[in-house]
Amino acid sequence: MSSEPLAAPPRRAEAPRSELRRARIAIAAVFCVHGAVAGSLATRIPWIQDHAGLGAGQLGLALAFPALGASVAMPLAAGVSHQLGARTGLRTLLALWTLSLALPSLAPNLPGLCAALFVYGATSGMSDVAMNALGVETENRLGRSIMSGLHGMWSTGALIGSAAGTVAAHLGADARMHHAAAALVLTAAGLVACRGVPDAAPAPGGEPPPRFALPPRSALAVGAVGFCAVFAEGAGLDWSAVYLREVLGTSAALAAASTTVFALTMAVARFAGDRVVDRFGPVRTVRAGGSLATAGGLLVVLGTHPVPVLGGFGLIGLGIAVVVPLAFAAAGRSGGDPGRSIAGVATLTYTSSLLAPSAIGAVADATSLTVSFGLVAVLTLGLVAAAGVLRTPGRGGARDGGAASSAARS
């Protein structure tokens, strides 16, 4: 296939605009449901830690198992979509992911939690690949950028899930009941949302994707940039509540609110992201975001009061918000098979986000949580240096690859 850069995502005029709008709404709802699962789990991690009787190092070890599950399963996602069709494949994988939410809080000890989080990570990663591939497909059909907004819907879902978790933590609710109810509601919502996504069936006679969709060479640099951002995202989602509780001694409700602040700033930035990237281009946007995230990391490390630390987590979320959407969009246009590129980059970036919590826990066990978030600040600073790999020649001219067409701005 040609890897010639495109001036804009290709339009598919044969699809009615009303159908394209419905497809965009449906895939946005899928992103929202996926994020709600992550937010629902993140706010109750302190409860799960106490229930299983785990220290910081043991919790970090358990949080490595989602990464292991994702590493094993994510390369298989393209094959599932090929065999079942894009819509049915997404519906199946998303349902498995939403139902897996109920498992971690049931674990009575470290081995049980590791097993539950392995399944959680495997189903999360596969559904993540499937929905991002359909997101790029929908973007191409519309002919304008929507990926940042779709990830904004993911953050909105995470915000909804974390807000519900904050209320549950404040009320002292048992996480087993909370997550069982949330899993049922989100499974139903996901099945309804999947009815409207595009069904991108494989071409007749087309070769099936490789069993393991490893990233092509053209996508490796994009994956490296994504690594820095998603490491910070995974650390913020899974450890912000623990950080406030253990380092600053806050209440469980205030600690859980840190996850809500993190998700809120990411959601706001992602909804604005498509227009910002269109105006300034991906390179300038990511460099500015990396600077904000680094400042936020320093506030977390140096803060001695909950208010500046909460602000620091908010800045981290704001700064990294658009990096992952830009990485997936760049992967989808990096040449060769777009599905394979997306699956490969997703494997690199998403697995690194799931590795982040265990790395934070390991560093915290050896030193402190404060030192762990110093590592986050270093990695977000790396975004400033490495943002140039997201430049797409021919898109937006002088604005380092931003889509500059007036249609995209409308």
Side-chain angles (χ1 to χ4, degrees):
M1 292 185 182
S2 171
S3 59
E4 181 181 354
L6 301 174
R11 290 186 183 273
R12 300 188 179 182
E14 69 274 7
R17 291 187 63 84
S18 60
E19 179 183 330
L20 294 177
R21 284 195 297 268
R22 286 194 298 270
R24 181 183 180 183
I25 292 170
I27 195 66
V30 168
F31 271 74
C32 185
V33 168
H34 196 283
V37 177
S40 296
L41 179 68
T43 51
R44 305 312 304 271
I45 284 178
W47 188 97
I48 293 171
Q49 180 183 11
D50 290 341
H51 177 67
L54 306 180
Q58 290 176 311
L59 179 61
L61 174 63
L63 290 174
F65 276 78
L68 180 60
S71 297
V72 171
M74 288 176 76
L76 304 175
V80 172
S81 294
H82 181 85
Q83 291 294 325
L84 301 179
R87 182 186 298 152
T88 302
L90 177 60
R91 181 187 296 123
T92 301
L93 295 173
L94 186 64
L96 291 174
W97 157 240
T98 53
L99 291 172
S100 76
L101 172 62
L103 299 178
S105 59
L106 297 175
N109 50 36
L110 179 60
L113 183 58
C114 290
L117 290 176
F118 181 92
V119 175
Y120 175 88
T123 56
S124 172
M126 294 181 74
S127 57
D128 189 89
V129 170
M131 74 183 191
N132 273 285
L134 275 175
V136 172
E137 171 72 13
T138 304
E139 179 177 87
N140 289 343
R141 293 185 182 190
L142 282 166
R144 58 190 177 91
S145 176
I146 64 168
M147 286 300 290
S148 182
L150 291 179
H151 283 257
M153 288 301 298
W154 189 97
S155 294
T156 299
L159 173 62
I160 293 170
S162 64
T166 299
V167 172
H170 179 71
L171 295 176
D174 190 309
R176 292 169 293 189
M177 298 299 296
H178 165 210
H179 284 162
L184 293 175
V185 170
L186 292 172
T187 299
L191 291 174
V192 172
C194 286
R195 294 170 62 184
V197 301
D199 194 15
E207 293 185 3
R211 183 173 178 83
F212 288 94
L214 296 177
R217 186 172 302 177
S218 60
L220 291 176
V222 176
V225 172
F227 175 90
C228 296
V230 297
F231 189 99
E233 181 176 348
L237 279 175
D238 285 343
W239 282 98
S240 57
V242 178
Y243 188 96
L244 263 75
R245 191 185 66 171
E246 295 194 357
V247 176
L248 300 181
T250 65
S251 66
L254 182 58
S258 66
T259 307
T260 304
V261 169
F262 188 87
L264 176 61
T265 56
M266 288 194 70
V268 171
R270 282 176 170 173
F271 282 122
D274 288 322
R275 291 185 178 274
V276 172
V277 173
D278 179 55
R279 180 173 179 83
F280 298 105
V283 176
R284 293 180 185 177
T285 302
V286 171
R287 283 177 178 161
S291 299
L292 286 175
T294 302
L298 292 176
L299 274 176
V300 170
V301 170
L302 300 176
T304 58
H305 188 274
V307 172
V309 173
L310 283 169
F313 283 121
L315 283 177
I316 294 174
L318 181 67
I320 66 174
V322 301
V323 180
V324 173
L326 288 175
F328 281 117
R333 303 186 185 99
S334 62
D337 180 359
R340 183 182 178 187
S341 296
I342 292 168
V345 169
T347 301
L348 290 174
T349 59
Y350 195 84
T351 300
S352 70
S353 76
L354 293 172
L355 282 172
S358 61
I360 294 295
V363 173
D365 199 43
T367 55
S368 68
L369 274 172
T370 301
V371 173
S372 296
F373 276 89
L375 173 62
V376 172
V378 171
L379 289 175
T380 55
L381 185 61
L383 292 173
V384 180
V389 303
L390 297 179
R391 181 178 288 110
T392 306
R395 295 191 70 199
R399 292 198 183 278
D400 62 59
S405 68
S406 59
R409 293 192 181 98
S410 62

